[in-house]
Amino acid sequence: MKFQVTHITRYEYQLPASLCHNLVYQVPVNHNFQQVEKIDYQIHPEPRFLVTREDFFNNKFIYFSIEEFHKKLSVEIKSEVEITEPVWINAVPKNTMPWENVVSWLQSTGTDNNIRQFYLESNHVIFIPGVQEYALKSFTPGRPIMEAMLDLNQRIFNDFDFTPGFTDISTRLEEVFLHKKGVCQDFAHFSLACLRSIGLAARYVSGYIETLPPPGKPKLFGSDASHAWIALYIPDIGWTEFDATNNLLVNDRHIRTAIGRDFADVVPLKGIVYSGAGQRMYVNVDVSRVEQQ
C-alpha cells in the first residue's frame, strides 16, 4: 500500500502573537514495514529558524520559530509512504513463551535498557486501582504472551466505547476506566497501563490509519484524524503492534510517525506562543491511497 498523508494545523489568535516556538511530530520515518518516499512541509508565516532533528527515541521532528507579529499560523505536512504487511499479520506465532517468562527476562540484568524503559509508569500511564486486575483476566498463569495480548486487545475493544469529545489530553486515566469511554489515545494509554502494571514492556505509537467511506459515498478531504496504538515487546518477534480501538493487529493501513512512553512524548504539534489572549486551533488530516503504476 502507498499512501499520501496531509496533516494541516491552523491557529488563529485573538490578539497578534509576537513570537512562537514549536515542535512538529508529524514526520514518518523508515522502518522494516514502512518506506518514506517524500516529505514536504509549508509553514506560514515563514519561520525565522527551522531545523529537523531526532529525539531520544529516534523520532524525527521539526523545530521552528516565528519571530514576527502574526494573527494566524498554518503548518502543513505532506508525506508519501509505502507500507508492507508486518510479519505478524501472516505468521502470527502460536507458541510464544508464557508471559511470566517474558517478565522474568525483562528483569534480567542483560536485557537492553531501550526495552526495559518501557515498563515504567509515565505522565499518562499510571497504575491506577483495578488496572492490574483487569490485565490479569487476560494474562492468566502460563498463557502465551501473544494469545494473552490478543485477548486483552479484544476485551478493551468490547468494553470501552469510542466517544469523541468525552475526553481530552487532561482527562485522567481513572475517568476513562470508570466510564469506559474515550478515544484512541485513551485506549492506548489504558492498554499500556495494563501491560506495564504486570511487568511487560510496551510503548505508545502515534500515526495515522486509512479510513474508508461508506459504500457508494465519496471520501471527504480532511475526514481522517491522527491515530494511536501500542507496541508490546515479545522476545523472538520484537515490537509487535496492536490497535485496541479497532481490535486489530496493526496492518498495512497504519502509518507510523513516532514512538514514546505516552502521548506527551509525541504530541503532533506543541510549543510556546507569546500572545495577549486566547487562540483557536483547527486540524484537518487526510490519508489517501496513491495509485501505483
Side-chain angles (χ1 to χ4, degrees):
M1 296 285 189
K2 185 179 288 188
F3 296 100
Q4 179 175 280
V5 181
T6 304
H7 191 140
I8 302 171
T9 309
R10 295 187 180 92
Y11 286 96
E12 294 182 0
Y13 306 113
Q14 292 180 3
L15 293 175
S18 60
L19 174 68
C20 69
H21 299 274
N22 293 278
L23 302 179
V24 184
Y25 278 86
Q26 300 168 18
V27 184
V29 295
N30 294 329
H31 62 73
N32 292 340
F33 313 111
Q34 177 170 293
Q35 183 68 36
V36 180
E37 299 191 350
K38 186 187 302 183
I39 295 176
D40 295 313
Y41 49 83
Q42 294 188 17
I43 300 172
H44 299 288
E46 185 175 348
R48 174 69 175 82
F49 181 81
L50 184 149
V51 65
T52 300
R53 293 175 175 162
E54 287 191 2
D55 68 5
F56 176 79
F57 302 109
N58 297 319
N59 301 313
K60 286 188 177 181
F61 68 92
I62 299 169
Y63 162 75
F64 70 90
S65 66
I66 295 175
E67 303 175 12
E68 62 182 69
F69 281 97
H70 57 287
K71 288 201 68 175
K72 296 181 180 180
L73 171 64
S74 174
V75 179
E76 178 176 333
I77 309 294
K78 186 174 290 186
S79 54
E80 195 169 292
V81 296
E82 185 169 357
I83 311 294
T84 57
E85 280 196 339
V87 65
W88 54 75
I89 293 297
N90 294 314
V92 176
K94 297 180 179 179
N95 298 312
T96 52
M97 68 171 65
W99 69 271
E100 301 98 326
N101 292 10
V102 179
V103 173
S104 298
W105 175 80
L106 286 167
Q107 294 173 346
S108 65
T109 56
T111 305
D112 189 341
N113 285 333
N114 288 328
I115 299 171
R116 294 173 67 192
Q117 67 180 323
F118 291 106
Y119 68 46
L120 303 173
E121 290 183 290
S122 57
N123 288 337
H124 297 290
V125 180
I126 306 298
F127 302 158
I128 59 175
V131 72
Q132 187 179 81
E133 290 78 5
Y134 187 95
L136 290 174
K137 290 180 181 178
S138 295
F139 287 81
T140 52
R143 195 172 192 182
I145 187 171
M146 175 66 85
E147 180 183 310
M149 182 63 225
L150 288 170
D151 185 70
L152 177 67
N153 210 52
Q154 184 173 48
R155 286 177 53 227
I156 294 173
F157 173 78
N158 290 332
D159 292 348
F160 289 69
D161 292 327
F162 185 82
T163 311
F166 180 77
T167 60
D168 58 34
I169 194 54
S170 65
T171 303
R172 295 169 60 87
L173 198 58
E174 291 94 332
E175 292 296 308
V176 175
F177 190 23
L178 174 65
H179 297 284
K180 303 292 193 299
K181 293 180 180 180
V183 292
C184 57
Q185 71 184 26
D186 301 307
F187 302 160
H189 286 150
F190 184 76
S191 300
L192 293 174
C194 286
L195 296 168
R196 294 181 192 172
S197 73
I198 60 174
L200 294 169
R203 63 193 190 186
Y204 186 96
V205 186
S206 70
Y208 310 96
I209 184 173
E210 179 193 30
T211 58
L212 301 175
K217 299 291 184 180
K219 188 175 186 300
L220 300 177
F221 181 85
S223 61
D224 297 305
S226 297
H227 193 42
W229 57 94
I230 67 104
L232 171 67
Y233 193 85
I234 302 177
D236 300 325
I237 303 175
W239 292 107
T240 308
E241 299 179 13
F242 301 84
D243 180 351
T245 305
N246 298 291
N247 190 25
L248 293 173
L249 271 165
V250 165
N251 56 41
D252 60 358
R253 291 172 50 214
H254 291 74
I255 300 111
R256 302 152 189 80
T257 54
I259 60 99
R261 294 161 298 181
D262 59 34
F263 176 79
D265 288 329
V266 294
V267 179
L269 177 59
K270 60 183 177 181
I272 299 172
V273 60
Y274 292 86
S275 177
Q279 62 188 24
R280 290 185 178 181
M281 182 178 71
Y282 306 89
V283 178
N284 284 314
V285 177
D286 186 75
V287 180
S288 302
R289 294 193 190 190
V290 176
E291 296 297 328
Q292 301 190 54
Q293 301 298 324

